[in-house]
Amino acid sequence: MQKQTGENPSLPRFSFGISAPPPCFKVSSALAKPAIDKVAGTKDSSSIVTDVSSTERRENTHLFTFPGPQLEARPGSRYNQDPRKPARRESTKTPVKKQTQPNLESQWRDMEWTEEQKTSLMKTVSSYKPSSGEVSQVLLLGPVGSGKSSFISSVQSVFNGRVTNRAMVGSSSTSFTKKLQSFNIHGQNGEDPTRLVLCDMVGLGGGEMTGLTLHDIMSVIKGHAPEGHKFSPDQPVRSETVGYVKRPSLKDKIHCVAFVVDASKILTYPKGLSTTFQQLREHISDLGVHQVALLTHIDKICSETDKDLTQVYKSHIIRDMMGKAAALLGMSTSYIIPVRNYSSELDLDVNTDVLLLSAVDHILQYADLYFQDNTPQNTGPKID
């Protein structure tokens, strides 16, 4: 176990919130690297001090704030308009249009869409036991409105046998979730909890008052952040924080991170988001934590899948969007699972359940790798 050092309150924080109005700037090559060194040896990321003055630290607090969407010059737009002609008024909203494209004849991922498959996946998740004997804690991490809380509620709905909203879900452009919350997924019909715990926290890009910092995200993954901690860039997780876990055990830590991105927003996410994701992935990988991804709102981009979810793995559109999500996150498409959360529905759908449960099964496979890598092995003499 690494020795944990005290927190440095003067450490520059890397805000992942969006300022209002959002600044548009380019990060110089000298600042492209995170100010926090990779976690290694016995040093904690919060104990690293950079060669900048206290004034510069205050000014650079929001250096990595997400830039706003860039406005491009398009034919007929006011940025490419003949000055002799009156400017045209453009709508500030671009509605998401479901695309139509002939589907493939066969699935590009094998999937059985049956009640039997749903039952089998439910048994697999319910009977799952980590190698350590503890629970598997999975952190959902992604932009505001990507569907993190909805995924938690949807998974619990499958086991409840009816649609429920266990994790509070919002509908605004700001993050509804403000604090760190852990949800034990209960077995079928209210049985004992499974060994799966899904952790929800404020979304990336939630504004200055709710924005996440790199330091806070790493504190959660290392197991220092207490349950119910309310995130604020002005009050980072530190040793003085009420409930701070000074020496986290294996059960306190995050064992897998699931990035959540909205398929209908992939093409409109700020360009800096890709850099943010890849920086996060570097630091998380240094802790030996495996990462997967969920692609939500797939029904909003493909009309055929919206009508019939069993077409998801035959859709050219969704397969192409999986590739774009992979480029955004900097990971292979083999780590990404498309899902459709329950939102306006009142009744369960077997195909939706199968897709959700397959995502959970995928997550648990990578969570278990963490335990295999971090559980002490038997080093006693070999007995023939």
Side-chain angles (χ1 to χ4, degrees):
M1 179 180 295
Q2 295 183 356
K3 183 179 179 181
Q4 306 297 333
T5 61
E7 307 299 333
N8 188 342
S10 65
L11 178 70
R13 299 188 296 275
F14 299 83
S15 175
F16 296 97
I18 299 180
S19 301
C24 295
F25 55 83
K26 295 182 179 179
V27 181
S28 65
S29 58
L31 296 176
K33 295 182 180 179
I36 299 178
D37 290 341
K38 293 181 178 179
V39 181
T42 59
K43 290 185 178 181
D44 186 81
S45 63
S46 62
S47 65
I48 307 300
V49 180
T50 56
D51 297 327
V52 293
S53 67
S54 59
T55 302
E56 289 173 325
R57 290 193 190 102
R58 289 194 296 272
E59 292 176 348
N60 292 339
T61 296
H62 300 293
L63 183 61
F64 284 86
T65 296
F66 287 164
Q70 300 296 319
L71 296 175
E72 300 178 356
R74 300 183 303 275
S77 75
R78 62 190 180 94
Y79 298 98
N80 196 25
Q81 186 87 17
D82 187 335
R84 294 168 296 181
K85 297 180 180 180
R88 294 173 57 185
R89 193 176 221 177
E90 293 191 61
S91 172
T92 57
K93 295 184 179 180
T94 303
V96 177
K97 295 182 179 179
K98 297 185 180 74
Q99 302 179 46
T100 303
Q101 198 176 88
N103 285 344
L104 299 168
E105 292 184 3
S106 58
Q107 298 185 112
W108 43 275
R109 276 186 186 169
D110 290 333
M111 179 70 72
E112 293 182 25
W113 304 96
T114 62
E115 194 71 47
E116 291 74 20
Q117 176 69 358
K118 172 185 172 179
T119 302
S120 175
L121 285 168
M122 289 182 72
K123 288 182 179 178
T124 298
V125 174
S126 298
S127 61
Y128 167 76
K129 293 182 180 179
S131 306
S132 68
E134 303 288 350
V135 296
S136 285
Q137 294 206 117
V138 178
L139 176 65
L140 302 181
L141 195 60
V144 172
S146 56
K148 302 182 299 298
S149 300
S150 293
F151 178 75
I152 294 172
S153 292
S154 296
V155 171
Q156 189 59 73
S157 294
V158 177
F159 285 96
N160 285 349
R162 58 188 176 87
V163 177
T164 56
N165 289 316
R166 188 177 177 200
M168 299 296 286
V169 180
S171 58
S172 66
S173 59
T174 57
S175 184
F176 192 85
T177 303
K178 306 295 184 184
K179 58 186 179 180
L180 180 63
Q181 295 177 287
S182 301
F183 296 89
N184 288 83
I185 302 302
H186 289 265
Q188 195 168 11
N189 299 323
E191 295 174 0
D192 293 336
T194 66
R195 298 297 180 93
L196 171 64
V197 175
L198 296 177
C199 303
D200 196 10
M201 64 190 299
V202 62
L204 301 176
E208 285 190 358
M209 296 307 294
T210 58
L212 282 176
T213 62
L214 175 61
H215 167 79
D216 281 352
I217 293 173
M218 301 308 289
S219 296
V220 171
I221 295 173
K222 292 177 184 178
H224 293 302
E227 173 74 12
H229 175 74
K230 191 171 183 178
F231 295 96
S232 169
D234 297 326
Q235 296 181 345
V237 178
R238 60 182 74 184
S239 56
E240 293 81 13
T241 299
V242 176
Y244 181 86
V245 183
K246 294 183 178 180
R247 296 183 179 181
S249 62
L250 191 62
K251 67 180 178 61
D252 298 314
K253 300 177 181 180
I254 294 298
H255 311 123
C256 180
V257 172
F259 289 102
V260 185
V261 290
D262 185 341
S264 68
K265 297 179 181 178
I266 292 288
L267 301 180
T268 60
Y269 279 140
K271 293 180 180 178
L273 183 56
S274 180
T275 301
T276 298
F277 274 134
Q278 294 184 37
Q279 287 180 359
L280 280 171
R281 294 197 63 236
E282 275 187 43
H283 286 281
I284 295 170
S285 294
D286 286 341
L287 297 179
V289 177
H290 294 272
Q291 301 139 60
V292 298
L294 303 174
L295 183 67
T296 61
H297 299 127
I298 54 175
D299 50 314
K300 290 185 178 180
I301 63 171
C302 178
S303 59
E304 294 300 317
T305 301
D306 186 22
K307 296 175 186 175
D308 181 3
L309 193 59
T310 64
Q311 301 300 303
V312 59
Y313 287 129
K314 291 184 180 181
S315 171
H316 284 285
I317 296 167
I318 291 178
R319 186 173 64 172
D320 291 345
M321 197 58 72
M322 291 266 291
K324 290 179 172 62
L328 174 72
L329 295 163
M331 62 170 58
S332 168
T333 54
S334 62
Y335 295 99
I336 305 174
I337 298 291
V339 295
R340 181 171 69 181
N341 295 328
Y342 286 110
S343 56
S344 59
E345 300 86 354
L346 296 178
D347 300 309
L348 297 180
D349 169 69
V350 63
N351 296 327
T352 301
D353 293 351
V354 166
L355 203 56
L356 287 165
L357 290 168
S358 66
V360 173
D361 183 50
H362 182 75
I363 289 171
L364 289 176
Q365 291 179 40
Y366 285 95
D368 206 48
L369 289 178
Y370 179 91
F371 293 109
Q372 293 178 31
D373 295 339
N374 292 275
T375 301
Q377 301 296 319
N378 183 9
T379 57
K382 183 178 179 180
I383 301 177
D384 295 328

